[in-house]
Amino acid sequence: MLTLIFLTFVLGFGILLLKKPVQTKFVALISLLPFSIFLYLLSFLRSVKDGVNSVLYRSEWIPSLGINLDSKIDGLSLLFGLLISGIGTLVYLYATSYLRGHPLLHRFLSYLTIFMGAMLGVVTSDNLITLFIFWELTSISSFFLIGFNNEQEESRASALWALAITGLGGFFLLSFGVIVGAITSTYTISDLLTQSDVLKDSPFYLLIIVFLFLAAFTKSAQFPFHFWLPGAMKAPTPVSAYLHSATMVKAGVYLLARFTPILGGTMEWSTILLVVGGITMTYGAFHSVFRKDMKGILAYSTISALGLLVFLLGIGTEIALYAMAVFVLAHALYKAAFFLITGIVDHALHTRDITKLRGLKKYFPLLTVAAVIAALSSAGIPLTFGFIGKELIYESGLHYIDYNLSLVLVGALFFTNVFLTGSGFLIGIKPFFGTPIKDYCISHKPDWRLIAPPVVLGFFTLLLGILPVIAYKEIILATFSAMNGAVVEMPLAIWHGVNTSLLLSGATIVLGTAVYFGFKCWNSSMNVVERFEGIAPKNIIAFIVEKFRQLAFRYTWVFHNGYLRSYLAVIIVFFIGLVGYKLFADVPLSVNTVGLSEFRTYELVVFLITVVAVVFAINTASRLTAIAATGVVGYCICLIFVFYGAPDLGMTQFAIDTLTTVLFLLVMFKLPAFLKLGNSKIQFRDAIIAISFGILISIITLQALVSPADKDISRYYAENVYTLAKGKNVVNVILVDFRGFDTMIEGIVLSIAALGVFSMLKYKDDEE
């Protein structure tokens, strides 16, 4: 599996080099990439469909730290993997027509491929650290996808918001992984299944699940982090269909589902998920019917669906977990179809305003069929897969252990489903039926690559709705077992008799239809909703961000004002305060001058020369004299190194001082006139800082002479420098071998700096 993901990344970057081939009529063949992954993942169905077995791949990366590139394929990861690759195939095919002729199509397909590889890595990783790495790659690649139309300011702003919010979640995911690893001494997710009690009994349990929740909530657009998702609708429609139906936004749901058998089942776990999921699903469903833009409706209905999934995980019963698995699949099928249909309408008519769309079945008969099927599935009409999911959702609320709370849960689910039904009809019914408002001018007639994906999704929605046993036996049972930790048979069926769930489904359809027909009334109430925009989470967070930016500006102005003397003063004062406090608070000071060698004549001479050079450097009005004086100070220090048995260090210092002095002299004539400005207050301040620093260093030096020296480290290097590194110069071996990575990274930094300077020089030449 790791090889497959690696090859996906390689192909993703390789597509950037294929600009001309991508612009040919054979570009649709690129959809064979996700399709081949889909076929490969299908081969695992037999291995995991009984819900007991899983396929593990072990690959060491940094074994000393417990960080490995392990992969695990069970029912949960396979369900998400099939959605990523299956819907990805349709999105690739769709995108090659939707963006046909776009000069940056190759770049778009490259981003999409990298994102697909990152998502596959997220859902198959069996190591917390590698999971975090892939998690962050999804945020970065989605940033490029959402901001693909980078000439538009709104697209750039939306991409930045998405990256900021999901990147914040990545920080909490890393924190979660580090804490869990410290408690259990393992980062392997499979091994954590046996450490469930250890984590739940830990005093850090609440902190652990809060970090996990923050990571999941930011990625899956839970309240109050939901606002980045409507903004992400500025992305091209293929991006919206892929990211917001089956992949990125469901990564947070996957994360919660993966850790449900490990951390779930507690009051804290259930309460937080029920509250956040409940607020999100009702808020999103209610807001979805106030929007006129088709993508806006889909954005808020997606937020609601994500909240519903989190809500089901909060309920946590066996029926709820089954409902969650079914709804993940059902929602992906009809929501991806909705997005793709919206893109076709927008592409052809250059509008997504549903108040201006009606009677499109005359122009798009096949597309109308796909739209109606998606709408029926979102409403939970029998013989669609959405009906199976809605039945289970209501069963989850009805069979909750607390009867009084059960009524509240069912009420929230009923409210949500009513408005989701109405918003689904607004997308799948309203634009296609009725008398056309005008004789539409179809600017872009959709070809088979645009029509086929929503039709295929509609076909599978009906197939699984009529024969739900296919989904149950092949994937749903295995997905449930991965979340539940045990196999419990609960076959899916179309008919369970007349019961409360069926009656609730019927009432949902009736009231949802009423919401749909009352759309004009609801839409006119949008002004009421807009009155509360000032306290919307987005505006509150934007206010906090702005205040933080102002604070950062003031901080920068004070501590990074462009004056080198200020930087040095801040650094030295901080050092004096920190080291001085620890020295006088924790160290028993004992100055003993016994044993100190007497001043030798040549040492006294060098010391006096140093003092004279310093005085000259401070008081001279000549830049040349100041440079020469600082050079003399450097050479005197070199001599001191030599006097006290460090000739190699002295030679290094000599070379550096010589080079520095020469460079100063070379640029001296390009510098502005040498000014000697005097300010008694600043001079007094600097004198106090300098004297304090000198006294502190002197005390530390004298204290070091009487403090016991720990020779273990130096003894280790002395004993192993030849046996381990085959070198005789201890300093050189430390730099090259024992600190090899540090030296290598320093070399990389210098190389990057050199490339940057070269690029700037080259750019200047081009301008000239």
Side-chain angles (χ1 to χ4, degrees):
M1 192 64 203
L2 178 63
T3 304
L4 178 65
I5 296 173
F6 175 75
L7 289 176
T8 303
F9 284 127
V10 172
L11 290 172
F13 286 107
I15 292 172
L16 286 175
L17 307 176
L18 302 175
K19 182 175 182 179
K20 290 184 178 180
V22 165
Q23 297 295 347
T24 67
K25 61 181 179 180
F26 300 107
V27 65
L29 293 176
I30 200 169
S31 59
L32 293 176
L33 169 61
F35 185 64
S36 61
I37 297 174
F38 179 75
L39 294 178
Y40 173 73
L41 292 176
L42 282 177
S43 66
F44 290 95
L45 283 176
R46 184 178 297 275
S47 302
V48 305
K49 71 178 184 178
D50 59 359
V52 177
N53 299 320
S54 60
V55 180
L56 296 174
Y57 295 95
R58 300 299 187 194
S59 179
E60 289 188 347
W61 184 20
I62 313 176
S64 60
L65 298 179
I67 303 173
N68 299 313
L69 297 172
D70 297 338
S71 298
K72 177 181 179 179
I73 299 180
D74 59 3
L76 182 62
S77 59
L78 190 57
L79 172 63
F80 280 87
L82 289 172
L83 290 176
I84 292 165
S85 56
I87 293 181
T89 301
L90 300 177
V91 169
Y92 270 74
L93 186 65
Y94 182 94
T96 57
S97 177
Y98 189 87
L99 295 173
R100 182 173 52 196
H102 196 291
L104 299 178
L105 177 58
H106 65 297
R107 186 180 295 178
F108 176 86
L109 293 174
S110 174
Y111 297 157
L112 201 64
T113 304
I114 294 171
F115 174 80
M116 180 176 66
M119 276 302 307
L120 289 172
V122 167
V123 301
T124 58
S125 290
D126 196 38
N127 186 279
L128 288 171
I129 304 302
T130 53
L131 170 64
F132 161 75
I133 293 172
F134 286 120
W135 183 277
E136 289 299 274
L137 285 174
T138 62
S139 297
I140 295 169
S141 53
S142 66
F143 165 78
F144 290 110
L145 286 169
I146 295 170
F148 180 71
N149 297 320
N150 52 46
E151 70 282 355
Q152 300 175 6
E153 183 179 353
E154 290 182 345
S155 293
R156 298 195 300 271
S158 298
L160 284 172
W161 270 116
L163 180 65
I165 298 298
T166 57
L168 177 66
F171 166 77
F172 287 111
L173 179 60
L174 178 61
S175 303
F176 162 79
V178 170
I179 295 174
V180 169
I183 294 173
T184 61
S185 300
T186 181
Y187 293 116
T188 303
I189 299 175
S190 297
D191 294 343
L192 293 177
L193 289 168
T194 61
Q195 302 276 358
S196 176
D197 292 336
V198 174
L199 291 171
K200 291 178 182 178
D201 294 337
S202 169
F204 300 103
Y205 173 72
L206 184 59
L207 181 66
I208 290 171
I209 63 171
V210 167
F211 281 179
L212 178 68
F213 289 160
L214 287 172
F217 293 166
T218 52
K219 186 74 84 173
S220 287
Q222 299 298 293
F223 186 91
F225 307 107
H226 64 281
F227 58 86
W228 70 263
L229 197 151
M233 295 298 116
K234 301 298 180 183
T237 297
V239 174
S240 302
Y242 196 40
L243 270 64
H244 306 138
S245 66
T247 54
M248 178 179 172
V249 293
K250 285 197 172 81
V253 174
Y254 166 82
L255 188 69
L256 295 175
R258 174 59 71 196
F259 285 95
T260 290
I262 301 172
L263 298 170
T266 65
M267 181 62 69
E268 298 89 342
W269 176 277
S270 298
T271 302
I272 296 175
L273 292 185
L274 285 174
V275 171
V276 175
I279 293 173
T280 304
M281 71 181 189
T282 53
Y283 176 91
F286 183 72
H287 273 261
S288 65
V289 298
F290 289 100
R291 311 293 154 174
K292 295 181 181 179
D293 182 271
M294 294 176 73
K295 271 195 170 184
I297 296 172
L298 291 174
Y300 280 95
S301 62
T302 299
I303 291 170
S304 178
L306 295 169
L308 180 55
L309 290 169
V310 172
F311 192 76
L312 292 172
L313 288 170
I315 294 176
T317 60
E318 293 174 351
I319 298 177
L321 296 181
Y322 261 112
M324 181 265 179
V326 171
F327 190 63
V328 164
L329 180 55
H331 176 261
L333 291 175
Y334 75 72
K335 188 56 65 72
F338 274 153
F339 272 114
L340 297 176
I341 291 166
T342 298
I344 294 172
V345 172
D346 185 27
H347 213 38
L349 304 175
H350 299 295
T351 182
R352 299 193 302 260
D353 190 337
I354 59 174
T355 62
K356 300 177 181 178
L357 297 171
R358 195 165 64 227
L360 294 181
K361 68 176 181 178
K362 173 183 175 182
Y363 306 95
F364 310 112
L366 195 57
L367 193 65
T368 302
V369 174
V372 170
I373 293 173
L376 296 179
S377 184
S378 70
I381 304 294
L383 301 183
T384 64
F385 199 51
F387 170 72
I388 307 295
K390 184 170 290 186
E391 286 265 289
L392 287 172
I393 288 171
Y394 281 134
E395 288 289 330
S396 303
L398 291 170
H399 290 85
Y400 194 67
I401 52 177
D402 187 330
Y403 176 76
N404 293 325
L405 183 56
S406 173
L407 296 178
V408 177
L409 300 183
V410 172
L413 291 170
F414 183 75
F415 178 89
T416 300
N417 283 323
V418 165
F419 283 93
L420 286 181
T421 298
S423 64
F425 285 166
L426 289 175
I427 296 293
I429 303 295
K430 189 178 186 305
F432 296 93
F433 292 90
T435 304
I437 298 175
K438 59 182 179 179
D439 189 14
Y440 294 108
C441 177
I442 308 298
S443 62
H444 188 282
K445 190 172 182 179
D447 60 12
W448 69 272
R449 287 179 291 173
L450 290 177
I451 297 293
V455 170
V456 170
L457 293 168
F459 168 77
F460 280 102
T461 296
L462 287 178
L463 176 65
L464 299 180
I466 297 171
L467 298 172
V469 66
I470 296 175
Y472 173 76
K473 288 185 176 180
E474 296 298 333
I475 192 64
I476 298 300
L477 174 61
T479 303
F480 162 80
S481 302
M483 292 186 289
N484 189 53
V487 179
V488 178
E489 295 280 350
M490 195 177 297
L492 304 180
I494 301 175
W495 180 252
H496 294 284
V498 178
N499 53 25
T500 308
S501 297
L502 182 64
L503 295 176
L504 285 171
S505 293
T508 299
I509 295 169
V510 172
L511 290 180
T513 305
V515 169
Y516 163 66
F517 282 109
F519 167 71
K520 290 183 179 179
C521 244
W522 286 104
N523 201 259
S524 63
S525 301
M526 186 62 189
N527 294 332
V528 178
V529 176
E530 290 177 349
R531 294 177 184 175
F532 297 95
E533 285 296 313
I535 59 174
K538 178 179 180 179
N539 292 327
I540 293 174
I541 294 178
F543 175 79
I544 295 173
V545 169
E546 176 60 22
K547 292 302 180 183
F548 189 82
R549 188 195 66 80
Q550 294 176 5
L551 175 64
F553 178 80
R554 294 190 180 96
Y555 166 85
T556 303
W557 181 252
V558 172
F559 291 100
H560 302 275
N561 53 17
Y563 292 99
L564 179 60
R565 66 185 182 191
S566 297
Y567 298 160
L568 292 175
V570 170
I571 293 171
I572 294 173
V573 168
F574 179 79
F575 179 87
I576 293 172
L578 181 64
V579 177
Y581 169 76
K582 293 298 294 182
L583 180 66
F584 291 103
D586 298 341
V587 178
L589 296 178
S590 175
V591 178
N592 186 0
T593 59
V594 177
L596 292 179
S597 60
E598 297 180 355
F599 252 128
R600 287 168 287 191
T601 304
Y602 54 85
E603 292 173 348
L604 181 60
V605 171
V606 170
F607 171 74
L608 293 175
I609 293 174
T610 303
V611 172
V612 172
V614 169
V615 173
F616 262 94
I618 294 174
N619 293 284
T620 183
S622 168
R623 181 182 286 113
L624 181 62
T625 303
I627 294 172
T630 55
V632 170
V633 172
Y635 291 146
C636 289
I637 294 175
C638 295
L639 290 173
I640 292 173
F641 288 148
V642 173
F643 294 160
Y644 289 92
D648 53 346
L649 188 58
M651 289 301 298
T652 303
Q653 182 71 22
F654 176 80
I656 292 173
D657 274 305
T658 301
L659 180 62
T660 303
T661 303
V662 171
L663 290 175
F664 267 130
L665 291 173
L666 288 175
V667 301
M668 181 179 65
F669 298 104
K670 297 291 184 180
L671 295 176
F674 190 85
L675 299 176
K676 191 176 187 308
L677 301 176
N679 185 308
S680 58
K681 292 182 179 179
I682 293 178
Q683 289 176 342
F684 179 76
R685 180 202 68 186
D686 293 345
I688 295 297
I689 294 174
I691 293 170
S692 301
F693 185 69
I695 293 173
L696 179 64
I697 295 299
S698 300
I699 294 174
I700 292 174
T701 304
L702 293 173
Q703 184 64 29
L705 295 175
V706 299
S707 298
D710 187 350
K711 300 289 186 178
D712 290 343
I713 296 177
S714 58
R715 190 179 301 112
Y716 170 83
Y717 284 123
E719 294 173 353
N720 294 280
V721 66
Y722 185 76
T723 57
L724 295 180
K726 309 305 180 201
K728 296 182 178 180
N729 188 307
V730 178
V731 175
N732 290 345
V733 169
I734 291 174
L735 292 175
V736 176
D737 291 281
F738 291 102
R739 290 180 57 225
F741 279 113
D742 181 56
T743 306
M744 180 187 72
I745 293 172
E746 288 175 354
I748 293 173
V749 171
L750 291 174
S751 301
I752 293 173
L755 289 173
V757 172
F758 175 76
S759 300
M760 294 174 64
L761 293 174
K762 186 174 182 297
Y763 179 77
K764 182 179 179 181
D765 291 340
D766 291 341
E767 286 293 309
E768 293 175 351

